[in-house]
Amino acid sequence: MLIPISWLKDFVDITLPIEELARVLTMAGLEVEEVIYVGLPFPEGQIEGRSGAHQRPETKVSGIEWDSDKIVVAAVHEVMPHPDADRLVLCRLDDGGGEQIVLTGAPNLYPYKGKGALEKPLKVPYAREGARIYDGHKPGQVLMTLKRAKIRGVESYSMICSEKELGISDDHEGIIVLDDDAPVGVPLVDYMGDAVFDIAITPNIARDANILGVAREVTALTNQALRSPSYKFEASGAPIAGQAAVEITNPELNPRFVLGLIRDVKIAPSPYWVQRRLLLAGMRPIYNIVDATNYTMLEVGEPLHAFDYDVLVERVGGKAPKIITRTARAGERLTTLDGEERTLSDFTVLVCDSEGALAIAGVMGGAESEVHEGTRNVLLEGAAWNFINIRRTIADQRMSSEAAYRFSRGVHPAMAERGVRRGVELMRQWSGGVIAEGLIDNYPLPSSDPSVEVTPRDVQRWLGIELTPEEIADILRRLEFNVEMNGNTVRATSPDHRLDIGAGVTGVADLLEEIARIYGYERIPETRMADELPPQTGNPALEKEEHMRDLLVELGMQEVVNYRLTSPEREARLLPIGTGPVDASYVRLANPIASDRHVLRRSLLSSVLEVVELNARNRERIALFEIGPVFRPSQDGSLPVEVLRLAIALTGPRAQLSWQGGDTTAMDFYDLKGALEELFAGLHIDTVRFEPDETTPYHPGKCAQIILGDNRLGTMGEMHPLVREHYDLPETPLIVAELDLQLILDAIPGRHTIRPVPAFPPVLEDIAVIVDENMPAERVLEVIEGVGGKMLVEVRLFDVYRGEQIEAGKKSLAYSLAYQAPDRTLTDKEAAKIRGRIIRRLEQELGAQLRS
Amino acid sequence: MLDQLEQIKREALSSLEAVQDDEALAQWKVAHLGRSSPLMATFDDLRDVPKEERPAIGRGANQVKQALEASYEAKSDALRAAAVLQSLEKEHLDVTLPGRPVLRGRLHPTTQTMRRIYGVFAEMGFQIYLSREVETDEYNFQLLNFPPHHPAREMQDTLFVDSGTERGDNPILLRTHTSPGQIHAMREFSAANPDDPPPVRIILPGMCYRYEQVTTRHEMQFNQIEGLAVGEHITFGDLKGTLSDFARRMFGQQVRYRFRASHFPFTEPSAEMDIECFVCGGEGCSVCKRTGWLEILGCGMVHPIVLQNGGYDPDRYTGFAFGMGPERITMLLYRIEDIRNYWANDFRFLEQF
Ligand SMILES: [Zn+2]
């Protein structure tokens, strides 16, 4: 919301420097996002390029300052043709210091060209040589300094300014013609220098989306009285009663409807000061009648709608029109003044006459009955609408307007009457019309402004400060609450310009917020919680998950975090070439923002592979993991299932190449398996098994399922070559795993115990056995460990050999074994006995033979 | 005899001075401390000394022996040190060659920031509470005092799930904030003891989603960390105290900050906390949009309706809540200019943390 300071001054004195006022408003919840200077001097040290900023900025500042020596009000006395340029004119003007001849090409001066001395001089903003203004010919706002130059043989050293050159608007079509009473020779900054606050309006301060609303906040924050606008109008026409009527069919949707009538208006541009205010507040001036409705809306917050009265009379065959408000009939149509023909829904409220719809209530008028340049008589509507219904309508019709912005956030019904009063009076002043006596005011559902009781105890309990009932009452009175005191209780009734104060506990909270805001958040002392500390339970599940992240990082892996939103096509890349799409059901978005991210992922592997692909362009070695949820829809339309998973991907050389070499062979299945074994060891889960598996998207011979007890934790292996083809990846093997994280977390023991450090030395020895090629190493290990019992404290496979020295179809497995007793040093004889038993059992059970 | 011992000592020490290597030292030991050395001969000769002189001479001989042995050890150490020093002369490395690469993993930057934040609040007694990412409108909005069609919903553009069934005013959606967890938590805690619910002090982290075009500044997916404290004596002053402690821990003890009024439907009074821009020191720069301040979190006193919906009587309990974006805080701390870096997972970005 753009708030020109000059306009604000109509209602409240500005007692603080502009930037301090911006800060005070910001602290009180009216965030001034920017102060745009349009003439007034910048705060000290804050002009761009001016060094030595002493003050902290607090707020973003932009705009232009008008040099009071060089930009002044002048009077053009004659507009003369240029000797050899049709599109240029020479103006003879008085800038208060003497006569000047100024060259300009402004088309709005052409009508005065060659007419001799003007009977009524034109007041204009005049920039002298050396003035800093915006360059009218460059896009955007680029400052320039006026320099002396010769243009088509005529010396030019000064300028009559356009709105763009002075920063008022982006219009450079013609020069500004000021109001007749502008004083010649006076610095322009003193006449109409301004600064504009751009304030972010949160829903709770919708009442402040107008000049008066901000002025009210300023009065409360600076402890002044508000100069309320006058809602009196000067009526001299025949009474409105009998010339129009109103019928409301649903007061819930339309609690109040007010009409005023003004006849014999002369459509013309508004005075320049009105145009300038509208422009600075972000609206384009049209002509006086339309400007009066917009001006009133910007000033007091009530959107008004002006009908061409004669069109309404004509529609009903010359009778007095009767306005009817009702919901639309299904399929009813209306062409709105933006030119769109709209089909309306049955909840849309319409402003109608007996012949049909005239306007979408609170949102936009219809094309037929709107005022136009030939309008003579105006019927002015001010109404109150149900804000939720307006919200539904603008969502349904996908339309917006300044009126809808306000009505969809709530405008108090009291403003309907005030708005019409203010609107017809401004129309009278600016268009010379005659206002009909009285208003038509249909108000079937009067607002009941809530009364809320608040006590010093409430203030202490919520805000932690001690205020007396008088102090509380004073703050609320500054905000125009109607306050009654009863002992310690302050009973405050919400003023009739706001709808944000609730009833009951909500109302108390609403008042406490107002008290805190005006008292000042800054003044509330900081304290440390003195309340009872809740039971300290921690979050064991998350702690385990985070421990897992640490272990994976220790294993050399980079954590990644992906979008959970994807598409079935992206995940289908995990299927081998030649297989059809899998009919997987997804959690789908009803309103996706991007076509490639319209479902929640089912596969974490798919997520991490996209990261591998991305990084493979500039990294040879990749080791990464992600921990996060995947999603599956529920069968019955209720909430989807969220399952935590872990995915890992490895590819590239085992070590990074350096000047001394290093192991640059490619990582394979066993690198990942080693990492997983270490991970499980780190989690103290020691009964995990790896069993051969053949499953998509893995290489059928290099894939294992990971089993714990009866649970399948997940799968690991090398990526199937036909799946790899879907990804842009180098030739090195890609090893991946995806595991059910929840099953792992559940299996982590609450605590584990350690073995004592051995006091006696171990007996170490190696054995190598020859077994069939297809004998799983795990079987051999099981036998060794089974026989070795407690004395066998370590078994490590250190070599797998196939080749010349042994029979074809066989392999040799070499183990280093450590025997140890907790209470004594084992003798060689004891060790040999165990060894003998191991070898015998290997021979018997596995057909192994000892390799000598 | 004593003069003779003195003579033996002098000669031995003077010949030790000339010793330059281990071999000479060994020869010296044989010559001066060996079985047939003059000193040992003196011990043999003791038998011939008159009985009354024996103790004095024996003591003298032992003293000479100890002195020679000590000198021997000293010489031996000196020779070894000299030898080591000499060999080190030949072992000079080029210390400017790069070290052998060590591979290490890293946590994602967001995880790192979230852990820092958890840590600060854990020390103030806040426990972590997790809840689901796909929610109902009821939990994400209605119970948090956002009625259907409420204007404040516009501040949170929502991604809805196509649930395949008509759910009226309670559609399924991707949570827009972690606040639904506030209701889950309060209901869980109050259900255990409805007449006397325990105080609450929790942190609610997790991924949230918004209907938002992805740009350098906006993400459709982001983490949030909320906090909630509910008890019988919690005030707005406590909110300020707790969060300013947090800001000092996170951004340095000298940090300047401010609380300014704002609006969230589930808190009242509501505030935004700004800290002084640490890029420009408050002078105004592009990071702080020339205001000198950086918005770091939203907060406020828990709205009585929310307390009620959680099973906590607002006439007895008060509370505060706050919410912040760890990605945004990370961006500020490390001057990250493009929020899309987080989920792009380019190692050239991730490896800088
Ligand atoms: Zn800055």
Short mmCIF file of all heavy atoms in Angstrom, two decimals, chain B residues 84-118:
data_model
loop_
_atom_site.label_atom_id
_atom_site.label_comp_id
_atom_site.label_asym_id
_atom_site.label_seq_id
_atom_site.Cartn_x
_atom_site.Cartn_y
_atom_site.Cartn_z
N VAL B 84 72.80 -39.37 14.36
CA VAL B 84 71.42 -39.14 13.88
C VAL B 84 71.33 -37.81 13.15
O VAL B 84 70.81 -37.72 12.05
CB VAL B 84 70.43 -39.19 15.07
CG1 VAL B 84 69.06 -38.68 14.63
CG2 VAL B 84 70.33 -40.61 15.60
N LEU B 85 71.95 -36.80 13.77
CA LEU B 85 71.90 -35.49 13.14
C LEU B 85 72.50 -35.53 11.74
O LEU B 85 71.97 -34.96 10.79
CB LEU B 85 72.67 -34.47 13.98
CG LEU B 85 71.91 -33.96 15.21
CD1 LEU B 85 72.77 -32.98 16.00
CD2 LEU B 85 70.60 -33.27 14.78
N GLN B 86 73.58 -36.30 11.63
CA GLN B 86 74.26 -36.39 10.35
C GLN B 86 73.35 -37.06 9.31
O GLN B 86 73.22 -36.60 8.18
CB GLN B 86 75.55 -37.18 10.51
CG GLN B 86 76.52 -36.89 9.41
CD GLN B 86 77.80 -37.72 9.60
OE1 GLN B 86 77.86 -38.60 10.46
NE2 GLN B 86 78.80 -37.44 8.79
N SER B 87 72.67 -38.14 9.74
CA SER B 87 71.82 -38.84 8.77
C SER B 87 70.61 -37.98 8.40
O SER B 87 70.15 -38.02 7.26
CB SER B 87 71.37 -40.20 9.33
OG SER B 87 70.40 -39.99 10.33
N LEU B 88 70.07 -37.18 9.33
CA LEU B 88 68.91 -36.34 9.03
C LEU B 88 69.23 -35.32 7.94
O LEU B 88 68.37 -34.91 7.18
CB LEU B 88 68.41 -35.63 10.28
CG LEU B 88 67.78 -36.51 11.35
CD1 LEU B 88 67.14 -35.65 12.45
CD2 LEU B 88 66.74 -37.45 10.76
N GLU B 89 70.53 -34.93 7.91
CA GLU B 89 70.97 -33.97 6.90
C GLU B 89 70.57 -34.42 5.49
O GLU B 89 70.28 -33.62 4.63
CB GLU B 89 72.51 -33.85 6.92
CG GLU B 89 73.04 -33.16 8.16
CD GLU B 89 72.93 -31.66 8.07
OE1 GLU B 89 73.31 -31.11 7.02
OE2 GLU B 89 72.43 -31.04 9.04
N LYS B 90 70.52 -35.74 5.30
CA LYS B 90 70.25 -36.26 3.96
C LYS B 90 68.77 -36.50 3.71
O LYS B 90 68.40 -36.96 2.65
CB LYS B 90 71.00 -37.59 3.78
CG LYS B 90 72.48 -37.49 3.92
CD LYS B 90 73.08 -38.90 4.03
CE LYS B 90 74.48 -38.84 4.64
NZ LYS B 90 74.75 -40.05 5.45
N GLU B 91 67.91 -36.24 4.69
CA GLU B 91 66.50 -36.61 4.56
C GLU B 91 65.58 -35.41 4.40
O GLU B 91 64.50 -35.37 4.94
CB GLU B 91 66.06 -37.44 5.78
CG GLU B 91 66.77 -38.77 5.85
CD GLU B 91 66.43 -39.54 7.11
OE1 GLU B 91 65.52 -39.12 7.84
OE2 GLU B 91 67.09 -40.56 7.36
N HIS B 92 65.92 -34.43 3.62
CA HIS B 92 65.09 -33.25 3.44
C HIS B 92 63.98 -33.49 2.42
O HIS B 92 64.24 -33.93 1.30
CB HIS B 92 65.94 -32.06 3.02
CG HIS B 92 66.48 -31.33 4.20
ND1 HIS B 92 65.70 -30.58 5.04
CD2 HIS B 92 67.74 -31.27 4.70
CE1 HIS B 92 66.44 -30.08 6.01
NE2 HIS B 92 67.70 -30.51 5.84
N LEU B 93 62.70 -33.20 2.83
CA LEU B 93 61.54 -33.34 1.94
C LEU B 93 61.24 -32.00 1.30
O LEU B 93 61.60 -30.96 1.82
CB LEU B 93 60.30 -33.73 2.74
CG LEU B 93 60.29 -35.09 3.37
CD1 LEU B 93 58.96 -35.30 4.10
CD2 LEU B 93 60.51 -36.17 2.31
N ASP B 94 60.50 -32.04 0.18
CA ASP B 94 59.91 -30.82 -0.35
C ASP B 94 58.56 -30.64 0.34
O ASP B 94 57.57 -31.29 -0.01
CB ASP B 94 59.71 -30.95 -1.87
CG ASP B 94 59.04 -29.71 -2.44
OD1 ASP B 94 58.70 -28.79 -1.65
OD2 ASP B 94 58.84 -29.68 -3.66
N VAL B 95 58.55 -29.83 1.39
CA VAL B 95 57.32 -29.70 2.18
C VAL B 95 56.22 -28.99 1.42
O VAL B 95 55.08 -28.91 1.87
CB VAL B 95 57.57 -28.97 3.51
CG1 VAL B 95 58.55 -29.73 4.36
CG2 VAL B 95 58.06 -27.54 3.26
N THR B 96 56.57 -28.45 0.25
CA THR B 96 55.53 -27.75 -0.52
C THR B 96 54.76 -28.69 -1.43
O THR B 96 53.76 -28.30 -2.02
CB THR B 96 56.15 -26.63 -1.37
OG1 THR B 96 57.00 -27.22 -2.36
CG2 THR B 96 56.96 -25.68 -0.51
N LEU B 97 55.23 -29.97 -1.54
CA LEU B 97 54.42 -30.93 -2.32
C LEU B 97 53.10 -31.16 -1.59
O LEU B 97 53.07 -31.15 -0.36
CB LEU B 97 55.17 -32.27 -2.43
CG LEU B 97 56.23 -32.38 -3.52
CD1 LEU B 97 57.00 -33.67 -3.34
CD2 LEU B 97 55.61 -32.30 -4.90
N PRO B 98 51.99 -31.37 -2.35
CA PRO B 98 50.70 -31.56 -1.67
C PRO B 98 50.66 -32.86 -0.88
O PRO B 98 51.32 -33.83 -1.22
CB PRO B 98 49.69 -31.61 -2.82
CG PRO B 98 50.47 -31.86 -4.05
CD PRO B 98 51.87 -31.40 -3.82
N GLY B 99 49.87 -32.85 0.19
CA GLY B 99 49.71 -34.06 1.00
C GLY B 99 48.93 -35.11 0.25
O GLY B 99 48.28 -34.82 -0.76
N ARG B 100 48.99 -36.34 0.74
CA ARG B 100 48.20 -37.40 0.12
C ARG B 100 46.72 -37.14 0.34
O ARG B 100 46.32 -36.84 1.47
CB ARG B 100 48.54 -38.75 0.73
CG ARG B 100 49.47 -39.54 -0.14
CD ARG B 100 49.78 -40.90 0.41
NE ARG B 100 51.14 -41.15 -0.02
CZ ARG B 100 52.19 -41.11 0.76
NH1 ARG B 100 52.04 -40.89 2.04
NH2 ARG B 100 53.38 -41.30 0.27
N PRO B 101 45.90 -37.23 -0.71
CA PRO B 101 44.48 -36.93 -0.51
C PRO B 101 43.81 -37.90 0.46
O PRO B 101 44.03 -39.10 0.38
CB PRO B 101 43.88 -37.06 -1.90
CG PRO B 101 44.91 -37.64 -2.78
CD PRO B 101 46.24 -37.61 -2.08
N VAL B 102 43.05 -37.35 1.39
CA VAL B 102 42.27 -38.17 2.32
C VAL B 102 40.81 -37.95 1.96
O VAL B 102 40.37 -36.82 1.82
CB VAL B 102 42.53 -37.74 3.77
CG1 VAL B 102 41.66 -38.53 4.73
CG2 VAL B 102 43.99 -37.91 4.11
N LEU B 103 40.09 -39.02 1.77
CA LEU B 103 38.69 -38.86 1.40
C LEU B 103 37.85 -38.77 2.66
O LEU B 103 38.01 -39.55 3.58
CB LEU B 103 38.25 -40.07 0.57
CG LEU B 103 38.99 -40.17 -0.76
CD1 LEU B 103 38.76 -41.53 -1.39
CD2 LEU B 103 38.55 -39.07 -1.70
N ARG B 104 37.00 -37.76 2.68
CA ARG B 104 36.10 -37.71 3.82
C ARG B 104 34.70 -37.33 3.34
O ARG B 104 34.53 -36.70 2.31
CB ARG B 104 36.59 -36.75 4.89
CG ARG B 104 36.36 -35.30 4.62
CD ARG B 104 36.78 -34.49 5.86
NE ARG B 104 36.83 -33.08 5.56
CZ ARG B 104 35.86 -32.23 5.87
NH1 ARG B 104 34.75 -32.65 6.45
NH2 ARG B 104 35.97 -30.94 5.58
N GLY B 105 33.72 -37.78 4.07
CA GLY B 105 32.35 -37.43 3.73
C GLY B 105 31.94 -36.17 4.47
O GLY B 105 32.66 -35.69 5.35
N ARG B 106 30.81 -35.65 4.06
CA ARG B 106 30.31 -34.44 4.71
C ARG B 106 28.81 -34.54 4.85
O ARG B 106 28.14 -35.16 4.04
CB ARG B 106 30.62 -33.21 3.87
CG ARG B 106 32.06 -32.82 3.83
CD ARG B 106 32.24 -31.73 2.79
NE ARG B 106 33.62 -31.27 2.73
CZ ARG B 106 34.59 -31.90 2.08
NH1 ARG B 106 34.33 -33.02 1.44
NH2 ARG B 106 35.82 -31.42 2.07
N LEU B 107 28.31 -33.83 5.85
CA LEU B 107 26.86 -33.69 5.96
C LEU B 107 26.41 -32.59 5.02
O LEU B 107 27.15 -31.65 4.76
CB LEU B 107 26.48 -33.32 7.40
CG LEU B 107 26.70 -34.43 8.43
CD1 LEU B 107 26.56 -33.88 9.84
CD2 LEU B 107 25.70 -35.57 8.20
N HIS B 108 25.20 -32.73 4.54
CA HIS B 108 24.60 -31.67 3.72
C HIS B 108 24.57 -30.38 4.55
O HIS B 108 24.34 -30.44 5.77
CB HIS B 108 23.18 -32.10 3.34
CG HIS B 108 22.56 -31.24 2.29
ND1 HIS B 108 21.92 -30.06 2.60
CD2 HIS B 108 22.47 -31.36 0.94
CE1 HIS B 108 21.47 -29.52 1.47
NE2 HIS B 108 21.79 -30.28 0.45
N PRO B 109 24.81 -29.23 3.92
CA PRO B 109 24.86 -27.98 4.71
C PRO B 109 23.61 -27.74 5.55
O PRO B 109 23.72 -27.21 6.66
CB PRO B 109 25.03 -26.89 3.64
CG PRO B 109 24.86 -27.55 2.31
CD PRO B 109 25.15 -28.99 2.52
N THR B 110 22.46 -28.12 5.00
CA THR B 110 21.24 -27.91 5.79
C THR B 110 21.27 -28.75 7.07
O THR B 110 20.91 -28.29 8.15
CB THR B 110 20.00 -28.28 4.97
OG1 THR B 110 19.93 -27.42 3.85
CG2 THR B 110 18.74 -28.11 5.78
N THR B 111 21.73 -30.00 6.95
CA THR B 111 21.84 -30.86 8.13
C THR B 111 22.77 -30.20 9.15
O THR B 111 22.49 -30.19 10.35
CB THR B 111 22.39 -32.24 7.75
OG1 THR B 111 21.61 -32.76 6.68
CG2 THR B 111 22.38 -33.19 8.92
N GLN B 112 23.87 -29.63 8.65
CA GLN B 112 24.83 -29.01 9.57
C GLN B 112 24.19 -27.85 10.32
O GLN B 112 24.33 -27.74 11.55
CB GLN B 112 26.06 -28.52 8.79
CG GLN B 112 26.84 -29.66 8.16
CD GLN B 112 28.14 -29.20 7.49
OE1 GLN B 112 28.72 -28.21 7.88
NE2 GLN B 112 28.57 -29.91 6.47
N THR B 113 23.47 -27.00 9.58
CA THR B 113 22.83 -25.85 10.25
C THR B 113 21.75 -26.31 11.21
O THR B 113 21.63 -25.80 12.33
CB THR B 113 22.22 -24.90 9.20
OG1 THR B 113 23.25 -24.49 8.31
CG2 THR B 113 21.61 -23.67 9.86
N MET B 114 20.97 -27.31 10.78
CA MET B 114 19.89 -27.78 11.65
C MET B 114 20.47 -28.33 12.94
O MET B 114 19.93 -28.08 14.03
CB MET B 114 19.05 -28.83 10.92
CG MET B 114 18.19 -28.18 9.82
SD MET B 114 17.32 -29.36 8.77
CE MET B 114 15.91 -29.73 9.77
N ARG B 115 21.57 -29.05 12.85
CA ARG B 115 22.17 -29.58 14.08
C ARG B 115 22.65 -28.48 15.01
O ARG B 115 22.52 -28.58 16.22
CB ARG B 115 23.34 -30.51 13.72
CG ARG B 115 22.89 -31.82 13.15
CD ARG B 115 24.08 -32.72 13.05
NE ARG B 115 23.71 -34.05 12.61
CZ ARG B 115 24.58 -35.04 12.55
NH1 ARG B 115 25.83 -34.84 12.89
NH2 ARG B 115 24.19 -36.23 12.16
N ARG B 116 23.20 -27.42 14.41
CA ARG B 116 23.62 -26.29 15.26
C ARG B 116 22.42 -25.72 15.99
O ARG B 116 22.49 -25.40 17.17
CB ARG B 116 24.21 -25.18 14.38
CG ARG B 116 25.71 -25.23 14.28
CD ARG B 116 26.24 -24.04 13.51
NE ARG B 116 26.32 -22.82 14.29
CZ ARG B 116 26.67 -21.64 13.77
NH1 ARG B 116 26.93 -21.54 12.48
NH2 ARG B 116 26.73 -20.58 14.54
N ILE B 117 21.32 -25.59 15.25
CA ILE B 117 20.12 -25.00 15.86
C ILE B 117 19.56 -25.95 16.93
O ILE B 117 19.23 -25.52 18.04
CB ILE B 117 19.08 -24.68 14.77
CG1 ILE B 117 19.64 -23.61 13.82
CG2 ILE B 117 17.76 -24.21 15.40
CD1 ILE B 117 18.81 -23.37 12.57
N TYR B 118 19.52 -27.25 16.61
CA TYR B 118 19.05 -28.22 17.61
C TYR B 118 19.88 -28.07 18.89
O TYR B 118 19.36 -28.11 20.00
CB TYR B 118 19.25 -29.67 17.17
CG TYR B 118 18.52 -30.14 15.95
CD1 TYR B 118 18.93 -31.32 15.31
CD2 TYR B 118 17.43 -29.46 15.42
CE1 TYR B 118 18.28 -31.80 14.19
CE2 TYR B 118 16.78 -29.93 14.30
CZ TYR B 118 17.21 -31.10 13.68
OH TYR B 118 16.58 -31.58 12.57
#
